[in-house]
Amino acid sequence: MGATIVDALDTLYIMGLHDEFKDGQEWIKQNLDFSVNAEVSVFEVNIRFIGGLLAAYYLSGQEVFKVKAVQLAEKLLPAFNTPTGIPWAMVNLKSGVGRNWGWASAGSSILAEFGTLHMEFVHLTYLTGNPAYYQKVMHIRKLLAKMDRPNGLYPNYLNPRTGRWGQHHTSVGGLGDSFYEYLLKAWLMSDKTDTEARKTYDDAIEAIERHLIRKSNGGLTFIGEWKNGHLERKMGHLTCFAGGMFALGADGSPDDKAGHYLQLGAEIAHTCHESYDRTVLKLGPEAFKFDSGLEAVAVRQNEKYYILRPEVIETYWYMWRFTHDPKYRQWGWEAAQAIDKYCRVSGGFSGVKDVYSSNPTYDDVQQSFFLAETLKYLYLLFSSDELLPLESWVFNTEAHPLPVLHLGNITLPGSETQR
């Protein structure tokens, strides 16, 4: 399905590589076919493919991208055929049969997966006039609003058959992360008219700050994970996006707390930079601990890898946009040099298995998000603020820019039924 081509398109466009962009466009026109008998992740296909196609459409105006995005979205809709309307994690593109991951708690769907559809689906309704997309994501929001939340926190697992939470595990990293991001971005994307999304975001962040955010003995602010009534003093690379999120959400936060959230973003950025700085390669591990004297360091072998992830650089970019403190460019440049030195191979870039080893082994994989996110955020970090200004564009969780919808008096089809 050409994930790398689709995911990288808007990066090519933004960097002015228009010949390569045209090659990608031609490939998509001729070869991108969704009638394959294959099971796909609804979440991954949404953020990488639909997000990538929509961004390419909005940047270039080429109709083919919109057509393909809508064709693919139609194939995802059967995933929502569950007793609650909470979608399955996977769907077969040909048969429309959905199911959940075998490892997920008690057959549950995952918060970050079903909670990270809103931006793309609202744009699909906006572009097509078909209310189904908007209604499906608003239904998810309404259902969540009615549910009890332990300590105000959202557990990562929700059963789509029963509508009950699975095990009480809450994380701002994997399994939870982009759910919170999309609450904030739903508000931004609506030209700040979707106040319900903003309120839900503010309430969630307040609970996260109360229960998950701590300072280590060495003075590093980190976001732990809540597991079975206990705070695990560990943070994942994925969680590092939150620094940028706090900065992005600072303006418009309740009780004049804008300064507080910008400061919190800066503290998370600093902690995540430390996780890079304390390795041999100056690249961050997958997860790092804050206990028994070790801080911002991976302890277990299976957490020492770096797979070209973007979250730390993403936070540097947002912090740069909001503060223009030169250290964020400095830190981004350190990461860029380390990636070039340790991850570049003859066929592209590869993840490495141990960031604490001076001669690391490669994992021989170049994730599509490396081109979609890591390189795009690095490029934007050293570009002018006029390139994709944050007043006009909101980035999906795969760094695909979608325009703010200045709906004014236009009502999205289907939205009346939600009021």
Side-chain angles (χ1 to χ4, degrees):
M1 283 173 63
T4 292
I5 295 175
V6 178
D7 224 0
L9 269 175
D10 56 358
T11 304
L12 290 170
Y13 194 90
I14 289 161
M15 291 181 176
L17 300 168
H18 294 297
D19 291 345
E20 291 85 350
F21 179 85
K22 287 222 165 54
D23 290 345
Q25 180 178 331
E26 197 51 38
W27 185 89
I28 281 169
K29 196 166 144 193
Q30 306 296 343
N31 303 298
L32 187 55
D33 176 21
F34 304 124
S35 59
V36 285
N37 182 18
E39 231 182 5
V40 298
S41 157
V42 173
F43 161 74
E44 295 289 0
V45 163
N46 177 59
I47 66 171
R48 299 188 198 214
F49 284 82
I50 293 179
L53 291 164
L54 288 175
Y57 167 70
Y58 280 118
L59 289 166
S60 71
Q62 297 296 316
E63 204 69 15
V64 59
F65 300 126
K66 179 171 93 174
V67 171
K68 293 283 187 184
V70 174
Q71 280 173 359
L72 180 53
E74 281 298 314
K75 299 266 188 190
L76 296 186
L77 288 179
F80 292 82
N81 296 337
T82 65
T84 57
I86 295 288
W88 298 114
M90 286 174 286
V91 70
N92 184 299
L93 290 177
K94 205 172 193 105
S95 68
V97 173
R99 70 178 177 98
N100 274 341
W101 304 109
W103 51 262
S105 163
S108 292
S109 299
I110 290 163
L111 183 69
E113 297 194 341
F114 65 76
T116 310
L117 303 166
H118 188 97
M119 289 180 68
E120 299 80 3
F121 275 48
V122 168
H123 272 277
L124 287 164
T125 285
Y126 172 70
L127 290 172
T128 64
N130 177 356
Y133 305 107
Y134 182 84
Q135 286 167 344
K136 293 213 180 306
V137 290
M138 289 307 287
H139 174 77
I140 293 172
R141 189 195 289 180
K142 294 280 182 270
L143 188 122
L144 287 173
K146 286 199 230 96
M147 294 188 64
D148 260 355
R149 292 189 293 284
N151 292 329
L153 297 169
Y154 290 84
N156 291 335
Y157 299 104
L158 179 60
N159 189 302
R161 286 202 171 94
T162 64
R164 291 201 189 93
W165 297 120
Q167 68 188 68
H168 287 184
H169 171 210
T170 296
S171 163
V172 185
L175 308 181
D177 48 13
S178 44
F179 165 71
Y180 305 100
E181 175 189 351
Y182 269 39
L183 291 173
L184 172 63
K185 289 179 174 179
W187 175 70
L188 291 168
M189 200 178 79
S190 71
D191 202 13
K192 304 184 179 174
T193 58
D194 186 350
T195 50
E196 180 184 74
R198 176 77 217 204
K199 169 96 174 68
T200 311
Y201 169 79
D202 289 330
D203 292 348
I205 294 310
E206 195 183 313
I208 284 167
E209 206 171 351
R210 191 176 308 124
H211 297 288
L212 306 184
I213 298 184
R214 298 286 181 268
K215 253 204 171 49
S216 72
N217 296 337
L220 295 176
T221 301
F222 68 95
I223 309 176
E225 300 197 0
W226 192 262
K227 274 191 175 161
N228 306 320
H230 164 77
L231 184 73
E232 202 176 355
R233 297 171 64 85
K234 170 176 140 182
M235 189 167 168
H237 192 293
L238 288 165
T239 320
C240 286
F241 91 96
M245 177 178 74
F246 292 141
L248 184 62
D251 189 25
S253 52
D255 312 323
D256 298 330
K257 285 171 89 171
H260 166 73
Y261 284 115
L262 197 59
Q263 175 60 29
L264 185 56
E267 289 174 21
I268 298 293
H270 172 66
T271 298
C272 292
H273 176 256
E274 286 298 311
S275 80
Y276 274 50
D277 211 41
R278 296 176 186 195
T279 69
V280 172
L281 305 187
K282 304 298 179 197
L283 290 169
E286 181 69 3
F288 40 96
K289 287 274 178 43
F290 295 89
D291 50 20
S292 63
L294 283 175
E295 300 199 351
V297 172
V299 179
R300 291 157 55 179
Q301 192 55 44
N302 65 353
E303 292 174 340
K304 293 181 177 178
Y305 61 86
Y306 173 70
I307 54 171
L308 307 169
R309 287 207 189 275
E311 291 78 19
V312 174
I313 293 159
E314 173 183 354
T315 276
Y316 295 165
W317 173 61
Y318 279 112
M319 293 307 303
W320 165 258
R321 278 277 173 109
F322 291 115
T323 69
H324 290 118
D325 183 330
K327 77 180 174 197
Y328 296 114
R329 281 186 163 172
Q330 182 55 43
W331 291 353
W333 181 235
E334 287 167 17
Q337 288 178 299
I339 290 167
D340 194 50
K341 184 169 179 184
Y342 297 111
C343 300
R344 185 191 281 271
V345 292
S346 59
F349 288 79
S350 166
V352 290
K353 290 181 182 172
D354 186 346
V355 292
Y356 301 96
S357 158
S358 48
N359 42 355
T361 47
Y362 297 117
D363 67 10
D364 204 24
V365 177
Q366 179 180 284
Q367 302 277 348
S368 75
F369 57 63
F370 175 65
L371 304 177
E373 302 186 73
T374 312
L375 294 185
K376 185 184 289 138
Y377 285 131
L378 276 169
Y379 186 79
L380 289 170
L381 177 59
F382 295 96
S383 301
S384 133
D385 291 5
E386 306 309 300
L387 181 60
L388 299 170
L390 292 172
E391 300 74 56
S392 310
W393 297 89
V394 185
F395 287 69
N396 90 338
T397 195
E398 189 76 5
H400 296 307
L402 300 175
V404 170
L405 294 173
H406 300 287
L407 294 172
N409 299 325
I410 310 164
T411 308
L412 280 175
S415 62
E416 332 48 63
T417 58
Q418 304 294 337
R419 296 282 153 88

